[in-house]
Amino acid sequence: MFGENGRKAAPPLTVSKILPDTFESVLGSESKIKKVISSLGYTCQSQRKNGGLFFSASKNKWGILGGPLIHFGLVLALIGGLLTFLFSNVREFSLPEGETMEIQGIPGKIRLEKFSVLLHPGKMQPEEYVGQLMIENPKQQIERYELKVNRPLRIGWTKLFLMRYHFEILRIDVSVYRKEKLVEQLSLKMDEAQKLRHDPYEIEFNDFVPDFVINKEGQVTSRSPYFVNPAVRIAMRPSEKPEEKPLQVWAFRDLAYHQGGKTNEWSFVVDKIKKRYVSGIKLSRDPGIFVAYAGFSLLVLGTFISGFVLHRRLELYLLPAQAGIEMTMLGYSPKDRTGLEYELNRIQKELLFLFQGARA
Amino acid sequence: MTIGILTLTYLVFGVISFLAFASGRKLSCILSLIFGFIALCIHGYEIVMRGIESGHLPWANTYETLILLSFLIIAIYFLTFPRYKMVVIGGFAGLIASIILALTSLLSSEIEPLIPALKSNWLLFHVVSAFIGYSSLALASASAAIYLVLSFLKRDPDQLKYLDWLTYRFICFGFPFLTLGILTGAVWANASWGRYWNWDPKETWSFITWLVYAVCLHLRSDEQFHGRLTAVVTLLGFATVMFTYFGVNFWLSSLHAAYA
């Protein structure tokens, strides 16, 4: 009465037909009938019962596991998610090049020795981001690792992942020219104005482009985020009148005037840029992951079983009747009853062909 | 150039398939199959050559995934045709593949080197399984659309019943692959971003898509919901597939925005 899921079981699909043949010929075709049913993937058994012939067949018995596996998998994945939510330790921190940090969750100290952005040869696209880490454990043993995208570093139960990066400009060294004569060399920090020693002006740098190009309007624009062709915007104003609108010019490395640029009284050349990369590193310690992954596996397994392995059961009764043989076929399937119906019709068609063919 | 020719070929294949369905002529059906199969072979060759030329799996950006998607739609149609024998699905498959290929003209066809985030073996499993799912669900939506059109025209109930069942079978084929695609994506996200589920718009929308199809499959368990309702839910499901694939990239800020 009740099916596998506790619901009221669907009634079996029934196909009835009178076969125009004698029961003796049916008995002689027992193996052929089995073959017809087995050709659709059924495991078939036959027995004589109540003066007739009875065939019982089924296929994909474990197909009934599909639904329960999906639902159990989903529950498990949600429990995994809950464990992750409650007990995981996922944090992101920024580690500048050359700095050492003690990070909660990792025994010892961690230092980013170097961060590199490797570009594809001849292209402005990244091939790899590499963070070279030095980890000093509590026993003061030093180990070195390379951290790359998609290749996390496992330390005990904790994993480190390479995330977004940026760079900081620590200082730029600028040569200041007046009427094409070098008048001063300064070391500037971002947004920190410095007075010239011999002239009543102060200068600062207030913008930076890591890879500049000059557009059609003659303005400096950014071509890529990679440190390839930097430009620095320098602002200059009289030191006595800091409120005055400053003279703003872009300065380039080893280049006093960019081609097409206007020659001003004052010009600047960037001699050196001191920068450092700051790598984003994600730390993750997640006790829920194994439960979630177990749930994922069951979900995948369940959906494939549910979609491709359909459990079906078949009963075929052949009983002697006045006008021939009474054929009754019952089909049971927890789902895809239309598919089962097509299958029953096909079996019926083939059996009709078998008996009519045998008679012919 | 080849993509342009393929676009046109699939369009013609679609038209011949529709004509074969309308006329019921076996010759038209055979012609459509031959035409479509030749186009599919050329399409497959194009994908392989692009892969060889780029030196990586040829589905690393939206342009390449569109080419893969259209290929898989036609490939799944041909894979399932011997069983289901519904030439009108080929009509829709050809039309959809043609539209998808036409969309590639809006994108750069330049072969780009693989970005670090995509350098992973999961690229193969995640993308291929998700796109097999998408393709199969595209065919399910084609079947559902034909069902709706024919049901309004009050055509043969047996044919309608068959189309309804066909929609279900395509969903049964696509749903496990969609699930596999989402979950391999989660495993990859864990290896790449340190968390298997980030509630990124792409993830959220793929989950919504999964839920819509789950609802659709549950509706199938009761015969009173078969027919128009499941067809409409199937079309709704495909709308969410399209939004997950395109909409999220264009309208929402996603971690996937850099690739596909």
Side-chain angles (χ1 to χ4, degrees):
Chain A
M1 190 68 184
F2 289 90
E4 294 90 345
N5 303 330
R7 289 181 309 182
K8 194 177 175 186
L13 282 172
T14 312
V15 176
S16 294
K17 193 94 185 169
I18 299 289
L19 296 175
D21 216 324
T22 59
F23 192 66
E24 284 69 35
S25 72
V26 167
L27 292 175
S29 306
E30 194 177 327
S31 62
K32 284 181 184 168
I33 297 170
K34 267 187 176 177
K35 208 173 166 185
V36 167
I37 297 171
S38 305
S39 69
L40 292 171
Y42 285 90
T43 308
C44 186
Q45 286 175 331
S46 63
Q47 65 178 107
R48 289 181 192 191
K49 207 170 159 183
N50 304 331
L53 196 56
F54 168 65
F55 293 85
S56 162
S58 70
K59 69 173 175 184
N60 303 331
K61 276 183 183 165
W62 48 284
I64 55 166
L65 292 175
L69 277 178
I70 294 173
H71 292 96
F72 184 60
L74 187 61
V75 170
L76 214 54
L78 291 173
I79 292 172
L82 186 67
L83 290 175
T84 297
F85 177 71
L86 293 175
F87 304 113
S88 71
N89 178 10
V90 181
R91 285 177 291 131
E92 202 171 327
F93 57 92
S94 294
L95 187 55
E97 264 182 321
E99 280 196 16
T100 307
M101 285 171 98
E102 277 187 48
I103 292 149
Q104 198 188 354
I106 299 177
K109 293 174 189 167
I110 181 167
R111 179 184 172 86
L112 179 65
E113 292 195 305
K114 190 170 168 56
F115 184 89
S116 320
V117 180
L118 308 175
L119 299 180
H120 283 282
K123 302 242 177 190
M124 291 307 290
Q125 277 130 337
E127 186 181 5
E128 198 65 87
Y129 305 111
V130 187
Q132 289 171 331
L133 295 179
M134 188 190 85
I135 296 177
E136 187 185 329
N137 67 21
K139 292 174 191 168
Q140 293 190 323
Q141 291 165 322
I142 287 174
E143 287 180 71
R144 287 188 162 82
Y145 301 97
E146 272 194 351
L147 195 59
K148 293 178 181 174
V149 179
N150 279 322
R151 280 163 187 75
L153 170 65
R154 183 188 278 274
I155 303 168
W157 289 98
T158 305
K159 276 183 174 180
L160 296 178
F161 299 85
L162 194 68
M163 303 304 284
R164 291 168 205 275
Y165 75 93
H166 67 275
F167 50 75
E168 295 172 344
I169 303 299
L170 300 175
R171 204 184 68 235
I172 62 162
D173 293 348
V174 188
S175 295
V176 182
Y177 291 82
R178 188 171 195 181
K179 292 177 182 164
E180 296 180 29
K181 273 191 176 171
L182 178 67
V183 290
E184 211 149 327
Q185 283 183 306
L186 296 168
S187 191
L188 299 171
K189 283 183 180 173
M190 187 110 173
D191 294 325
E192 198 179 285
Q194 251 190 62
K195 284 181 182 169
L196 297 181
R197 280 187 291 260
H198 309 295
D199 293 284
Y201 291 98
E202 61 179 30
I203 64 168
E204 65 176 12
F205 87 92
N206 54 18
D207 200 3
F208 176 84
V209 173
D211 184 22
F212 83 92
V213 281
I214 306 285
N215 66 13
K216 283 178 187 168
E217 288 79 40
Q219 290 162 338
V220 169
T221 54
S222 176
R223 179 175 58 171
S224 79
Y226 311 111
F227 200 89
V228 178
N229 198 24
V232 174
R233 193 171 65 189
I234 288 178
M236 184 180 194
R237 61 170 72 83
S239 45
E240 312 266 297
K241 298 174 188 167
E243 72 286 347
E244 196 173 288
K245 196 183 170 194
L247 161 77
Q248 295 207 95
V249 286
W250 283 96
F252 313 104
R253 207 151 50 176
D254 306 325
L255 193 67
Y257 302 104
H258 196 276
Q259 196 181 3
K262 242 167 64 182
T263 308
N264 293 316
E265 182 188 359
W266 293 91
S267 62
F268 308 90
V269 172
V270 176
D271 298 319
K272 195 175 171 185
I273 298 173
K274 177 80 179 157
K275 68 157 193 337
R276 71 172 177 182
Y277 283 104
V278 180
S279 175
I281 294 176
K282 190 179 260 182
L283 175 147
S284 171
R285 189 175 191 158
D286 186 356
I289 197 160
F290 303 106
V291 183
Y293 278 13
F296 290 175
S297 309
L298 293 183
L299 259 173
V300 170
L301 191 67
T303 50
F304 272 92
I305 290 175
S306 219
F308 297 104
V309 187
L310 301 169
H311 173 55
R312 277 169 190 172
R313 203 155 58 77
L314 195 93
E315 288 169 9
L316 172 67
Y317 296 91
L318 295 168
L319 293 163
Q322 279 185 342
I325 313 145
E326 187 190 333
M327 179 181 80
T328 310
M329 229 185 323
L330 302 176
Y332 304 86
S333 179
K335 56 186 168 193
D336 190 21
R337 286 168 66 81
T338 315
L340 177 69
E341 195 183 321
Y342 290 134
E343 224 166 63
L344 294 188
N345 289 340
R346 194 172 148 189
I347 292 172
Q348 181 189 240
K349 210 170 147 186
E350 286 188 28
L351 288 180
L352 274 173
F353 179 77
L354 180 74
F355 290 110
Q356 283 168 346
R359 207 167 52 143
Chain B
M1 181 65 183
T2 320
I3 297 300
I5 293 168
L6 276 174
T7 309
L8 201 65
T9 314
Y10 282 138
L11 192 65
V12 175
F13 160 66
V15 171
I16 299 174
S17 300
F18 279 128
L19 288 176
F21 175 70
S23 67
R25 280 189 176 174
K26 207 173 175 183
L27 186 69
S28 314
C29 181
I30 292 168
L31 192 70
S32 83
L33 291 176
I34 293 170
F35 207 75
F37 190 72
I38 291 169
L40 184 71
C41 292
I42 297 168
H43 198 159
Y45 175 79
E46 268 300 301
I47 292 175
V48 171
M49 290 316 289
R50 192 175 170 94
I52 291 169
E53 204 179 325
S54 65
H56 57 74
L57 293 169
W59 41 81
N61 55 38
T62 310
Y63 175 85
E64 291 174 346
T65 54
L66 283 171
I67 292 175
L68 178 72
L69 178 65
S70 50
F71 173 78
L72 287 173
I73 287 172
I74 303 293
I76 290 173
Y77 166 68
F78 273 96
L79 214 68
T80 53
F81 185 81
R83 192 183 168 107
Y84 301 128
K85 295 184 177 62
M86 203 66 184
V87 73
V88 70
I89 301 290
F92 267 89
L95 198 65
I96 297 171
S98 179
I99 292 168
I100 290 170
L101 285 179
L103 282 176
T104 59
S105 62
L106 302 173
L107 302 163
S108 164
S109 63
E110 203 182 321
I111 292 177
E112 289 161 1
L114 212 55
I115 60 171
L118 295 180
K119 283 186 178 174
S120 167
N121 292 333
W122 290 109
L123 180 65
L124 172 67
F125 302 108
H126 171 58
V127 178
V128 171
S129 49
F131 278 84
I132 290 175
Y134 285 3
S135 310
S136 187
L137 297 173
L139 292 176
S141 73
S143 177
I146 301 162
Y147 175 90
L148 285 175
V149 171
L150 295 185
S151 76
F152 284 113
L153 294 174
K154 304 209 184 304
R155 291 281 284 263
D156 178 15
D158 283 344
Q159 197 174 42
L160 287 176
K161 189 177 178 183
Y162 188 70
L163 279 166
D164 184 45
W165 178 68
L166 203 57
T167 307
Y168 167 66
R169 290 311 304 154
F170 276 124
I171 296 174
C172 280
F173 186 90
F175 189 68
F177 283 100
L178 180 72
T179 311
L180 185 64
I182 294 170
L183 298 183
T184 49
V187 176
W188 188 4
N190 189 55
S192 187
W193 304 324
R195 240 188 157 149
Y196 57 87
W197 199 263
N198 297 280
W199 293 109
D200 175 67
K202 195 83 157 183
E203 294 171 348
T204 309
W205 274 94
S206 65
F207 182 54
I208 292 169
T209 305
W210 191 84
L211 285 179
V212 172
Y213 281 106
V215 167
C216 193
L217 288 171
H218 280 86
L219 283 176
R220 299 283 321 183
S221 64
D222 198 327
E223 280 188 29
Q224 65 170 316
F225 297 125
H226 288 200
R228 282 188 189 169
L229 180 64
T230 41
V232 169
V233 177
T234 305
L235 290 177
L236 177 73
F238 193 62
T240 60
V241 167
M242 287 292 100
F243 188 78
T244 308
Y245 182 28
F246 296 113
V248 169
N249 289 0
F250 294 122
W251 290 310
L252 301 171
S253 167
S254 164
L255 289 164
H256 282 75
Y259 13 101

